């Protein structure tokens, strides 16, 4: 597994990354909900097939997509770029590539932001396990949000902000 960048990482780092993935999704969903419907109409229609709660879509979205995308964009692209250019440039370039891979304008914007976060976590722990956990929970949060009543949204956002803050403090204070 080490050949593929899947190395040991602290369990708390993996858990903190998962919390950050969920929280980042909650924040992105909240921001998108604030946008005018003229901007989000194509995003909503393009996202509709992903909202199907079937075993195939959930496995594809929560397991397969994060695995392949992390192998490509974090391990292969970011891993190689950081040997060729300064780390910050490698991180930004890999995030932009990751974002552009996701299609529509809204997806490109939030996937680029996510790519920066996923790349930073990958660089910090030098393992794909934390960004995999983060990516999987980011994608999986969509299914949880589908099952929640809309009035729960402010509470989910508030809890996510607190948990994300605690996770970020853990990551900043602790080394690999």
């Amino acid at each position: 597994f080490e050949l593929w960048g899947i190395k040991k990482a602290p369990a708390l780092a993996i858990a903190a990354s998962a919390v950050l993935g969920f929280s980042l999704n909650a924040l992105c969903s909240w921001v998108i909900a604030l946008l005018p419907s003229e901007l989000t109409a194509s995003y909503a229609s393009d996202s509709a097939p992903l909202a199907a709660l079937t075993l195939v879509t959930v496995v594809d979205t929560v397991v397969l997509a994060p695995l392949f995308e992390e192998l490509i964009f974090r391990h292969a692209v970011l891993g190689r770029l950081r040997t060729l250019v300064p780390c910050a440039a490698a991180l930004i370039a890999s995030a932009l590539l990751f974002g552009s891979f996701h299609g529509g304008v809204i997806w490109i914007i939030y996937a680029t932001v996510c790519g920066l976060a996923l790349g930073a976590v990958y660089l910090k722990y030098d393992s794909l396990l934390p960004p995999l956990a983060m990516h999987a929970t980011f994608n999986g949060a969509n299914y949880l949000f589908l099952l929640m009543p809309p009035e729960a949204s402010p509470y989910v956002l508030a809890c996510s902000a607190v948990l994300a803050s605690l996770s970020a403090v853990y990551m900043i204070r602790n080394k690999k």
Side-chain angles (χ1 to χ4, degrees):
F1 286 110
E2 283 197 29
L3 174 67
W4 296 97
I6 302 172
K7 303 173 189 169
K8 278 182 133 181
L12 278 175
I14 295 168
S17 298
V19 168
L20 281 175
F22 181 86
S23 300
L24 190 55
N25 184 303
L27 179 63
C28 288
S29 297
W30 178 70
V31 170
I32 291 167
L34 294 175
L35 296 174
S37 59
E38 304 83 51
L39 293 176
T40 60
S42 66
Y43 170 77
S45 65
D46 291 346
S47 300
L50 298 174
L53 269 172
T54 66
L55 181 60
V56 172
T57 54
V58 172
V59 169
D60 181 48
T61 305
V62 179
V63 178
L64 297 177
L67 180 62
F68 288 116
E69 290 177 1
E70 292 310 307
L71 283 169
I72 293 166
F73 293 103
R74 253 53 71 193
H75 181 66
V77 174
L78 179 55
R80 181 70 176 131
L81 281 176
R82 73 179 176 175
T83 65
L84 301 172
V85 298
C87 204
L91 178 61
I92 292 167
S94 68
L96 288 169
L97 281 171
F98 180 69
S100 65
F101 177 76
H102 283 81
V105 174
I106 291 175
W107 280 348
I108 289 170
I109 293 168
Y110 80 69
T112 300
V113 171
C114 290
L116 288 169
L118 292 163
V121 169
Y122 174 70
L123 292 171
K124 177 165 180 73
Y125 295 104
D126 194 34
S127 171
L128 280 182
L129 291 177
L132 268 169
M134 186 175 179
H135 197 151
T137 55
F138 181 94
N139 288 3
N142 291 319
Y143 296 107
L144 292 174
F145 295 149
L146 285 173
L147 300 172
M148 285 184 204
E151 58 272 8
S153 184
Y155 302 107
V156 170
L157 189 61
C159 290
S160 293
V162 170
L163 291 172
S165 299
L166 293 172
S167 297
V169 167
Y170 167 80
M171 290 180 159
I172 291 167
R173 296 195 72 210
N174 293 286
K175 298 192 187 236
K176 284 186 186 178

